Amino acid sequence: MKKIIVRTICACMLFSISFYSFALGSKEQNAQSKTKEVIDHTGNVIVIPEKPERVVISSLLPLPSVYCLYLGGPHKLVGMHPSSKAAGKNSYLAKFYPSINDIDSSFVKNNVVNVEQLLELNPDLVLYNASNTVEKEMFAAAGIPCVGFSTTIAGYNTIETYASWIALLGEIFGDTGRSNEIIEYGRSVEKMVKERTSKLTDEQKPICLYLYSCEENSITTYGGNMFNQYWCETCGGKNASYELKGNNSLNMEQIYNWNPDMIFLTNFTPALPEDLYTNAIGIYDWSSIKAIKNKKVYKNPLGMYRWAPPSSDTPLALQWFAKQMQPELFSDIDMDKEIISYFKKFYGVELAKSDLQAIYNPRREASGK
């Protein structure tokens, strides 16, 4: 029996060594081609192929939309996170770039990367969330060049985060001739919004609550160190959860105490405004809250990606949030025209009125749950 066990262990070890030798051998062959150096958002110098041909985006869910914005489509993208793919399938990302539906996402299970399955995609570059040190070490051990993109590099300023992602994509893939135009458009929108909201008093700012999940057994929000804080500060609102940090589970007593004037439901939850208006989720009673009484529960739109974190639609999201929080200040902004113009200019596509309604009223399935 002992001999059988020893032989089995040895066989497993030989298989593992052979598998990784094959993978690393492939990497060594690729290394013979031209390379270049980039400094990623971890501050490290990363050696990558001069012209990456097989790219995987792992743990940064909005990045595929920005990738497609920058490169004009999912060119060379062979792997992406299943949550990114779910958003893509139920948004305009897959409509205009249908090959998104064929990109592999099976290498991630329960939000964890299976490195053996990843290696089967033969990637020569992985783009990942810079805060995910576990993935970084895993990719390095497997011999895959990996570049970290940060969500905190600009203090959760969505416009500057979006700009930093585009700039880093430019360093990786070369200048497409559009990066400055994309970045400057976002900054011009932010400047306009900030100028209009800068003179508001606290009394003029609605209390806003962002719900990242709102399900039978889970209500969660992020605190004052996340993107919802930026949306509120910039667009003329007050973040109900600003004293909290990170991701937080909520109970109804806390929400009653805040009594928010507005509630925003992100696209990470399947919940819709009518679910709160009719108390259709679990045993929660929302009826006494101001936002419910005044019918001011809003589902975030979904264009090329979810409008809660930074994405390729971030300048549009900024205008939309501003119009909800301060409708009089931004009454001159026609979101239909802004969205149509943005999609034509930066994605090269024409939207119909029916497309706009789909963007404003995303399907539950876009949550990926």
Side-chain angles (χ1 to χ4, degrees), residues 246-369:
N247 189 8
N248 297 267
S249 295
L250 300 178
N251 55 48
M252 290 307 295
E253 183 179 355
Q254 177 67 76
I255 297 173
Y256 294 147
N257 288 336
W258 286 331
N259 197 17
D261 299 296
M262 295 181 175
I263 295 175
F264 292 95
L265 298 170
T266 73
N267 305 118
F268 292 102
T269 177
L272 300 176
E274 54 263 36
D275 296 330
L276 273 62
Y277 293 146
T278 60
N279 287 327
I281 300 173
I283 59 172
Y284 309 125
D285 181 6
W286 298 87
S287 60
S288 64
I289 295 169
K290 285 182 185 178
I292 307 301
K293 291 179 178 179
N294 296 323
K295 301 295 183 187
K296 290 190 175 182
V297 179
Y298 304 98
K299 183 73 173 180
N300 288 7
L302 178 66
M304 290 293 194
Y305 187 72
R306 306 172 175 115
W307 284 15
S311 75
S312 59
D313 292 342
T314 281
L316 296 175
L318 187 59
Q319 295 172 82
W320 182 83
F321 280 121
K323 279 186 71 71
Q324 311 317 309
M325 294 182 205
Q326 297 293 336
E328 292 183 8
L329 277 182
F330 298 96
S331 60
D332 61 315
I333 293 178
D334 184 330
M335 283 306 303
D336 288 4
K337 289 182 179 179
E338 293 295 331
I339 294 171
I340 288 171
S341 174
Y342 187 87
F343 270 61
K344 184 175 182 179
K345 183 173 184 177
F346 294 115
Y347 300 120
V349 297
E350 299 275 357
L351 293 180
K353 284 289 184 182
S354 59
D355 295 322
L356 291 173
Q357 289 309 305
I359 289 171
Y360 294 137
N361 301 282
R363 300 168 59 193
R364 295 181 190 272
E365 292 82 357
S367 68
K369 296 181 179 179

Side-chain angles (χ1 to χ4, degrees), residues 69 158-159 162 166 182-190 192-193 231 307 311-321 335 338 342 346-347:
L69 169 66
T158 56
I159 290 292
Y162 149 96
I166 290 169
I182 294 168
I183 290 169
E184 289 310 312
Y185 175 74
R187 286 173 175 163
S188 69
V189 170
E190 182 188 54
M192 177 273 293
V193 171
W231 297 125
W307 284 15
S311 75
S312 59
D313 292 342
T314 281
L316 296 175
L318 187 59
Q319 295 172 82
W320 182 83
F321 280 121
M335 283 306 303
E338 293 295 331
Y342 187 87
F346 294 115
Y347 300 120

Side-chain angles (χ1 to χ4, degrees), residues 96-355:
F96 295 122
Y97 309 121
S99 60
I100 285 286
N101 293 321
D102 301 323
I103 293 174
D104 194 284
S105 63
S106 63
F107 65 94
V108 179
K109 291 286 193 306
N110 299 318
N111 216 33
V112 177
V113 171
N114 181 314
V115 73
E116 292 185 1
Q117 284 186 261
L118 175 64
L119 284 166
E120 290 176 4
L121 298 176
N122 194 28
D124 55 18
L125 181 65
V126 175
L127 312 180
Y128 73 103
N129 189 326
S131 66
N132 195 327
T133 55
V134 172
E135 282 193 3
K136 178 183 177 181
E137 292 171 4
M138 181 192 304
F139 302 144
I144 313 170
C146 56
V147 177
F149 286 70
S150 175
T151 60
T152 62
I153 194 168
Y156 296 106
N157 177 317
T158 56
I159 290 292
E160 289 306 314
T161 302
Y162 149 96
S164 71
W165 292 357
I166 290 169
L168 186 50
L169 287 171
E171 292 181 33
I172 294 168
F173 297 103
D175 186 13
T176 61
R178 298 198 309 152
S179 57
N180 288 340
E181 187 178 22
I182 294 168
I183 290 169
E184 289 310 312
Y185 175 74
R187 286 173 175 163
S188 69
V189 170
E190 182 188 54
K191 181 181 178 182
M192 177 273 293
V193 171
K194 284 184 172 181
E195 285 176 350
R196 295 191 188 189
T197 59
S198 63
K199 296 180 181 178
L200 291 170
T201 65
D202 272 359
E203 291 72 27
Q204 294 173 305
K205 298 177 181 179
I207 298 171
C208 304
L209 176 61
Y210 284 72
L211 296 182
Y212 282 77
S213 71
C214 186
E215 295 148 40
E216 187 171 351
N217 298 309
S218 174
I219 304 176
T220 64
T221 190
Y222 280 91
N225 61 337
M226 197 54 176
F227 299 114
N228 48 305
Q229 183 69 24
Y230 170 80
W231 297 125
C232 288
E233 286 180 351
T234 307
C235 297
K238 290 186 287 189
N239 181 16
S241 60
Y242 77 97
E243 290 184 341
L244 304 178
K245 300 295 180 184
N247 189 8
N248 297 267
S249 295
L250 300 178
N251 55 48
M252 290 307 295
E253 183 179 355
Q254 177 67 76
I255 297 173
Y256 294 147
N257 288 336
W258 286 331
N259 197 17
D261 299 296
M262 295 181 175
I263 295 175
F264 292 95
L265 298 170
T266 73
N267 305 118
F268 292 102
T269 177
L272 300 176
E274 54 263 36
D275 296 330
L276 273 62
Y277 293 146
T278 60
N279 287 327
I281 300 173
I283 59 172
Y284 309 125
D285 181 6
W286 298 87
S287 60
S288 64
I289 295 169
K290 285 182 185 178
I292 307 301
K293 291 179 178 179
N294 296 323
K295 301 295 183 187
K296 290 190 175 182
V297 179
Y298 304 98
K299 183 73 173 180
N300 288 7
L302 178 66
M304 290 293 194
Y305 187 72
R306 306 172 175 115
W307 284 15
S311 75
S312 59
D313 292 342
T314 281
L316 296 175
L318 187 59
Q319 295 172 82
W320 182 83
F321 280 121
K323 279 186 71 71
Q324 311 317 309
M325 294 182 205
Q326 297 293 336
E328 292 183 8
L329 277 182
F330 298 96
S331 60
D332 61 315
I333 293 178
D334 184 330
M335 283 306 303
D336 288 4
K337 289 182 179 179
E338 293 295 331
I339 294 171
I340 288 171
S341 174
Y342 187 87
F343 270 61
K344 184 175 182 179
K345 183 173 184 177
F346 294 115
Y347 300 120
V349 297
E350 299 275 357
L351 293 180
K353 284 289 184 182
S354 59
D355 295 322

